Amino acid sequence: MMILMENLIRDLEKAVRLSRGNGISNWLVSCIESRFVSAGLKGLEIGNAYSPTRSGHSMRGEIIVHWRDGLFSRSSISRTMLESPKLLLNQLREIAFFDPFAPLIPEQQKPTGIPVLSPSIENIVLQDPSILFSFLGLAANAFKSLNTKNCQATATAIINDHHLASGNGLNCRFTSTTASFEATADSLYTVETSSREMIGSERISQRLGHLEDIVRVLRNRQTSPSDVSTVVFLPPLALRFVSHFLLSNLDAERIFEGRSAFQLEKIDSDKPLFHTSFGLCHNPCRPMHSASFPMDSQGLASRTVQLIDGGTIRNVAVTLRGARQTGWKPNPSVKKEALIPTGGSTMDLFQFLEDTDSAFVAGSVLGLHTQDPGRGDYSVAVPHGILICGGKMTGVVKGLLNGNFFKNLQEPVTLLTSPFHEFQGLAFRQRVHF
Amino acid sequence: MRDKRLQVHLNDTRTLPLQEVLRGFPLPADHFAILRLQLQESLALKMVQGNSAGVSHTITEGMGLQLYTKDGRSSFISTDKLSVAALEQGFSTALTLMESVRGPHELSFASLFSASPTTGSRLLNRAWNPRTTPANTIRDSILGMHLDLSSRDPSNRSVTSFSAVDDEWRIFSTDGTDVHFSTPRSLLRHNSSRWASGKCFTLGVTLVGSDLGLIFDEKPKNTFKKRVKVQLELLQELVEAPPVPCGSYPLLIDAHLTGGLVHEAFGHAAESDTVHRGSVLAEAGRFRKGLRVGPESLTIVDGPLEHDWGDQPFSVNGFPRKTVAIVERGILRQALADELTAGFIGVDPTGAARAQDFSCVPIPRMSNIRLEISGTVPWEVELQDVSAQELYDFLLAQDVISRSEEHLFLSGYRGGQVNTTSGDFVFQCALIYRLKDGAARLCKPAIFSGNIFDVLNSIHRGIGKQHVRRWGMCGKLGQKVPTSGGGPAFLLLKPHSDIRIGGT
């Protein structure tokens, strides 16, 4: 891989020299090669046609070129294109266009020293896939106790080799890895994690141990109650809502172009958009975290950014192009897995449920991806909402949730921590239609 | 302007060395191998607020090698290097992975070993040929269109995008199968956004095709501009529109929504891997062939249409893709099955296996799925040319619905989701109209939820001719493939207590 990358950079530099007549003033190339190992389990099978034990790798990346005549090119690239640099440069010249906000390539930066590669995870990918099978064995045992054949699990590990280079001397290489595990029973309840700390720890076993209790409740369909006004989003669903409605709008380019729910004047406004207790932070610098990275594909070093503080939008995701549009300082790319809610009242999720007289708990919804994030309005179905009565899970009902997520966050929100999740759940007041 | 000459990348000169490795590799006798080669070339352009915001030209190629054993084990490798050395290394890795696979296995792949080899070719003219139509020519055309459309209401924010994709596949297997096909497609889209009352409202118009005709031929260009004009008027109204009260109503849905409904709520449940895992259309792991699922007038068909957005003439396991009646006269007849699970769930294979790209494992998928209703109310109009008021007036004049009963008309498909185990689904529409007392009033869109059996049994009438070019990108198990479908221009559904509209 590295030899190939060196050849690539050499070829590109050669091509740049050869094509001086075309006038390239600066260029940046970022490449990623993904390698992965995956194993799947359906019922008690491992390695069938739909989830075979598998391995693969491919290269992809992006190239940005500033031409001396003021034009700008940006294109995704593949191995096929990288192996013919002259042809690639010709293509890039052909698609070059004038962009008044073309991103300026930053001065050379050194990545921060994040230990991104876990040796144990590297072993999963490169040498020993047996850890994946041990996770699947845990799932298989949990499924046996459920007396159901309708269950699935997959374990995956991915290693990415990154290489960034630019005409102004940036030459950065680093490796990032992710590992994930997901088990679903009866299409009702999913145990999942992408946390490196979770994988290999006892907590996965504990969560699988909870499957039996949860699925028993979910199989008990209950008649609809007359009224429930407290809604609890379990952490994975809370992250999906935050990502769908907040992250997609917290983008400098969208804001500048008027396609975001938030307008320019709302940033750092004296009047908070959300309840003063609500905050949201993007932290891609946590050591060994799967969402951590030392540098993004634009060549920007990672750093922690407080997006929302005291209910006010303090920062947004600012690409290099967005920085030229708005005059704001650029931020590294935002990944939803690196988001952390801050502020507000915080309670243990399970303690909260025990203390609650009446609540509707949603672990997943149907239709969230179809909602327009620009309005904040949502109208989604909860096929397996868990009813809490007197602190106990009593059964499952269907429900419809209609509301506006921005308005939900204007009310006091309780953040619910869970030992099994990295993100936090949310509890708020909202009417449920049964 | 457009080049109609056929251009083939995965020709014999390129693939013969790989074929020789496949035929000559010393595989154990109980192993079967399928080699999938893919080359994809795409051009994507985006114009925002009067400027080019992005142009991308990408060529990707690669191969996936999948091994199967008679006792139901499988391993898979993929690489983006189309070379003899990469394939030989791939065989070695795939065999190593196979050794790590443990049983027991319900599935048997014995049918693969007994199937007859397939040879076939279906290659179409490319969507875009960079040699004859440079990217900057296309960019200039799109930018001109964008500036024209944006100027119609400068208070809106406008985004215009275009993409052309050429997908070429060649499939070989150890039994001598050699299948070669291409699926060109193109897409033109314009989104308008308006900021009001603290919210950003967006509506879009999309046209799909299989070449550059979308941007260079007068007819589609004029159609596109006309629809954007209507969209801008609707966007203005939508900002002021009230929400619709939550509840159950008699519904009218257009062909876009019907296509989405039959795709999400029914098609996925009829895919053989879903049936095998446990679908609402399965009983004890077998397809419920013969089950009545809807009225006598109902038929549901899936099959590829040439030059269609969801076209695929062969499965990526190398078998011809069949057109099948999943439901015939209200009775469940056939699943969308690949060769691996068809026998296991008690149906014939239909060549339904598709993959997003060479690095993905094939799974049964739809191509173009459409709902057909006998005895439709004839109306020779184009769906997009009919306003809600015109539709309401027509239905009142034909005595199809009465003035006294309120109906909701749901227009435009904005995506959906289904639980195939229970048959529960949700859909989002672009617009809702309340039809009451002779007037059609626009409301804000809301979720449409229910159960597929309830919906199929609530079908009352079809109105107008078939529209089967609804387009979409269907996601399943992490893979996205282009799919299409539709139904009669409009479909009338009787009210049902479990078919709900979200709202307030």
Side-chain angles (χ1 to χ4, degrees), chain A residues 41-62:
Chain A
L41 173 148
K42 185 186 73 61
L44 299 181
E45 303 166 41
I46 292 179
N48 67 31
Y50 301 123
S51 49
T53 305
R54 57 189 296 203
S55 159
H57 62 87
S58 62
M59 184 193 289
R60 58 194 166 78
E62 179 184 60

Side-chain angles (χ1 to χ4, degrees), chain B residues 272 275-279 282-288 341 344-346:
Chain B
S272 57
V275 173
H276 183 218
R277 276 199 299 270
S279 149
E283 194 164 28
R286 308 283 284 186
F287 191 61
R288 299 168 76 180
T341 46
F344 195 79
I345 65 164

Side-chain angles (χ1 to χ4, degrees), chain B residues 11 104 155 195 215 279 285:
Chain B
N11 52 28
S155 61
W195 219 92
I215 51 172
S279 149

Side-chain angles (χ1 to χ4, degrees), chain A residues 291-341:
Chain A
S292 291
F293 53 91
M295 189 166 272
D296 74 1
S297 62
Q298 305 175 99
L300 294 173
S302 69
R303 62 189 178 88
T304 301
V305 176
Q306 189 74 34
L307 298 168
I308 299 171
D309 189 29
T312 297
I313 298 173
R314 299 294 181 196
N315 288 288
V316 298
V318 189
T319 61
L320 292 172
R321 185 167 187 271
R324 293 198 68 193
Q325 288 174 319
T326 57
W328 297 335
K329 187 180 175 184
N331 292 324
S333 305
V334 174
K335 286 184 173 184
K336 73 173 183 182
E337 294 82 3
L339 291 174
I340 305 168

Side-chain angles (χ1 to χ4, degrees), chain A residues 45-47 49-50 54-55 59 74 76 78-81 94 96 133 149 257 260-261 367 374 379 398 402, chain B residues 55 57-59 61 74 76-77 80 102 105-106 135 139 157 195 199-200 338 341 359 361 417 424 447 503:
Chain A
E45 303 166 41
I46 292 179
Y50 301 123
R54 57 189 296 203
S55 159
M59 184 193 289
R74 180 181 201 143
S76 54
S78 65
R79 189 193 300 271
T80 310
M81 301 169 79
E94 189 184 300
F133 285 105
K149 293 180 77 177
E257 290 161 2
S260 165
S379 176
K398 283 185 193 176
N402 301 300
Chain B
V55 184
H57 174 201
T58 308
I59 304 170
E61 61 182 18
S74 181
F76 177 81
I77 67 98
D80 59 356
R102 290 168 282 181
H105 309 279
E106 285 183 298
R139 186 188 60 229
R157 302 290 177 162
W195 219 92
K199 296 177 180 180
C200 185
D338 65 356
T341 46
S359 69
V361 177
Q417 201 174 353
D424 293 332
I447 208 87

